[in-house]
Amino acid sequence: MSTESHMRRVTAINNGTVIDHIPAGCAITVLKMLGIDGRRSTPITLAMNVPSKKMGGKDVVKIEDREITQSELDRLALIAPEASVSIIRAYSVAEKLVVNLGVEIIGVARCCFSNCATWGDREPLPHRLKVHSIEPLELRCHYCGRSQDMEAIIDNLL
Amino acid sequence: MASLITMDDLTNEEIIEVLDNAERLLPVARGETYLPLLEGKILGNLFFEPSTRTRMSFETAMKRLGGEVVNLGDVKTSSVVKGETLFDMIQMVDGYTDIIAMRHPRQGAAQYASDSARVPILNGGDGAGHHPTQTMLDLFTIRQAHGTLEGLNVALVGDLRFGRTVHSLSHALVRFGCTLTFVSPESLSMPDEIISDLKRHGADITETADLSSVIPSADVIYMTRIQKERFPDEDEYARVAGIFKLCAADLSPAKGGMIVMHPLPRVSEISPDVDNTKHARYFEQAFNGVVARMSLLCRLLNVEVPAIISSNGGEN
Ligand SMILES: [Zn+2]
């Protein structure tokens, strides 16, 4: 079965956003990072552990009546660097976006090091994690220089 | 350059330039001549944790160059404990001063301050992070003894895990092609992250726990203090502290020009009988903190150090 037919397994949407190629099991975190919860009145469709040739398994999220922006998508780089986004208008793909990791991730996650100058969330300057290497992804805090524990990054999302 | 937060803020050429200027400023640091290059400038000394040595040498450096110093005062009574953020504190001091020297218990605090301030920041130590002014005075001392920084054999001894001094210094020495030997007990060995960074920069590194084996080949033996509180029990501390004790007799196989350094204060790792040997350099090293910081203050305040400074009064 092709990816397309898997996609069709969940309802097609009229207007909104489809986020594909989310690592299996991360869909809920993705929604959380986008500030989307079940209290919205518009439908949200989640498909988890969908077989994927490229990723083995993946999650797919469809959000009706909301178009996510490039900067919102870039926030997802930390947990879903391969995510691809289709903006849907009138049942067809109007725009495609890919995650842009950039050189620095600002204001998305706090430094994991408990003795960092930014610790405690009272300091007003933004958390800044610099992309030290991409493969494997290594991030270092702009302030303290510590290499971030990528396993714990979800716990440190802002 | 806006601030000095880590040694990466200086190129090798800039390091040499700072050392050259420091050397010219020696008569001023000794008080043989008065050269008010920084007259009218105010240094803010922001020490959020106690540091007699670094704070005093910044203050001396500023005053020898005719500048003024304002101090944060006792951290216990200042607004820090009342919950003021570092950002707010820096905003205030930034308005009062032309340059800030700071030490803070949290790692990254100097970078944070630099991002919050308009005036330049000199990092005088941030948690387990960096201490670049110490590194500059260490480099100055090494170059003074050997005439170069290139290709020396340097042994770093003691607490290599928690000592930020040895981390910054190792990075700098590798940039000048020095061969490093790390001498420490297993429990205080150089962190893997740092070793892999150094090796990526082409470093030639040996690790050992045997101090006596490195003495014959070393050009520099850099001792550090092993702190009792790093050890779970007294016995383990005593065993380790005993191993890394350097006495005058131990130095007989050393090269004639080998120097022994220590960031001070020392406890028992260098016996007082080393003080009178030709190898001891730790007191000069402490004094060199003043010239190194004088040179850095001038650099960050964009004040040129004159090419010739005579020892009987000002510029020629
Ligand atoms: Zn940090």
Side-chain angles (χ1 to χ4, degrees), chain A residues 114-115 117 122-123 125 142 144, chain B residues 83 86-87 105-107 112 115:
Chain A
S114 62
N115 198 36
R122 289 193 56 247
E123 293 292 344
L125 293 188
H142 163 72
C144 72
Chain B
L86 179 57
F87 183 85
R106 287 199 181 271
Q107 195 165 331
Y112 191 90
D115 291 355

Side-chain angles (χ1 to χ4, degrees), chain A residues 111-113 115-118 129 141-146 148, chain B residues 107-108:
Chain A
C111 174
C112 67
F113 178 45
N115 198 36
C116 179
T118 57
L129 302 178
C141 174
H142 163 72
Y143 303 102
C144 72
R146 285 286 184 110
Q148 301 295 302
Chain B
Q107 195 165 331

Side-chain angles (χ1 to χ4, degrees), chain B residues 37-43 62 66-69 97-99 301 303:
Chain B
L37 290 176
L38 301 183
E39 198 169 4
K41 304 281 189 194
I42 298 175
L43 165 72
M62 195 65 187
E68 302 283 330
V69 181
T97 61
D98 301 295
I99 186 165
L301 288 166
V303 171

Side-chain angles (χ1 to χ4, degrees), chain B residues 202-273:
Chain B
D204 181 351
I205 294 169
T206 312
E207 288 187 272
T208 176
D210 179 13
L211 174 57
S212 62
S213 70
V214 308
I215 293 172
S217 59
D219 297 307
V220 176
I221 294 180
Y222 196 102
M223 301 294 290
T224 61
R225 184 163 52 107
I226 291 180
Q227 285 164 286
K228 213 181 247 172
E229 54 271 26
R230 306 285 190 212
F231 287 86
D233 63 79
E234 190 100 354
D235 287 352
E236 206 176 320
Y237 166 73
R239 197 167 50 83
V240 168
I243 295 170
F244 297 116
K245 189 173 172 162
L246 210 54
C247 309
D250 301 329
L251 299 176
S252 53
K255 294 186 196 174
M258 188 277 283
I259 58 168
V260 177
M261 296 172 66
H262 192 300
L264 303 180
R266 64 175 155 175
V267 186
S268 61
E269 54 281 350
I270 301 177
S271 149
D273 67 3

Side-chain angles (χ1 to χ4, degrees), chain A residues 86-148:
Chain A
S86 304
I87 304 292
I88 312 291
R89 290 172 199 142
Y91 292 106
S92 57
V93 176
E95 258 181 84
K96 277 189 173 285
L97 306 173
V98 289
V99 176
N100 182 357
L101 189 58
V103 293
E104 198 171 29
I105 295 161
I106 300 174
V108 175
R110 63 174 70 81
C111 174
C112 67
F113 178 45
S114 62
N115 198 36
C116 179
T118 57
W119 194 255
D121 287 339
R122 289 193 56 247
E123 293 292 344
L125 293 188
H127 292 272
R128 294 170 61 176
L129 302 178
K130 290 200 276 197
V131 178
H132 189 74
S133 80
I134 292 173
E135 210 42 70
L137 184 58
E138 187 190 350
L139 302 173
R140 292 191 181 181
C141 174
H142 163 72
Y143 303 102
C144 72
R146 285 286 184 110
S147 188
Q148 301 295 302

Side-chain angles (χ1 to χ4, degrees), chain A residues 43-103:
Chain A
I44 298 153
T45 314
L46 270 160
M48 298 182 80
N49 298 317
V50 179
S52 156
K53 248 183 238 148
K54 196 165 131 198
M55 308 173 70
K58 63 171 184 179
D59 289 2
V60 181
V61 170
K62 298 189 177 191
I63 311 153
E64 269 185 58
D65 296 324
R66 161 129 182 224
E67 294 188 1
I68 78 160
T69 62
Q70 182 71 48
S71 62
E72 282 179 304
L73 175 59
D74 292 346
R75 294 169 56 90
L76 302 182
L78 292 181
I79 58 153
E82 293 178 74
S84 59
V85 164
S86 304
I87 304 292
I88 312 291
R89 290 172 199 142
Y91 292 106
S92 57
V93 176
E95 258 181 84
K96 277 189 173 285
L97 306 173
V98 289
V99 176
N100 182 357
L101 189 58
V103 293

Side-chain angles (χ1 to χ4, degrees), chain B residues 76-154:
Chain B
K76 284 191 226 56
T77 56
S78 69
S79 58
V80 189
V81 288
K82 294 176 199 132
E84 186 176 30
T85 60
L86 179 57
F87 183 85
D88 286 2
M89 167 68 87
I90 295 293
Q91 297 313 304
M92 172 199 58
V93 182
D94 187 80
Y96 295 172
T97 61
D98 301 295
I99 186 165
I100 294 170
M102 69 178 277
R103 169 169 293 183
H104 197 281
R106 287 199 181 271
Q107 195 165 331
Q111 181 64 54
Y112 191 90
S114 175
D115 291 355
S116 314
R118 282 154 303 178
V119 303
I121 305 282
L122 272 160
N123 185 5
D126 59 329
H130 299 270
H131 195 2
T133 66
Q134 174 75 42
T135 301
M136 289 303 292
L137 76 89
D138 290 342
L139 294 178
F140 184 86
T141 306
I142 292 170
R143 195 179 74 150
Q144 202 176 34
H146 291 289
T148 179
L149 293 173
E150 310 270 344
L152 299 169
N153 260 322
V154 181

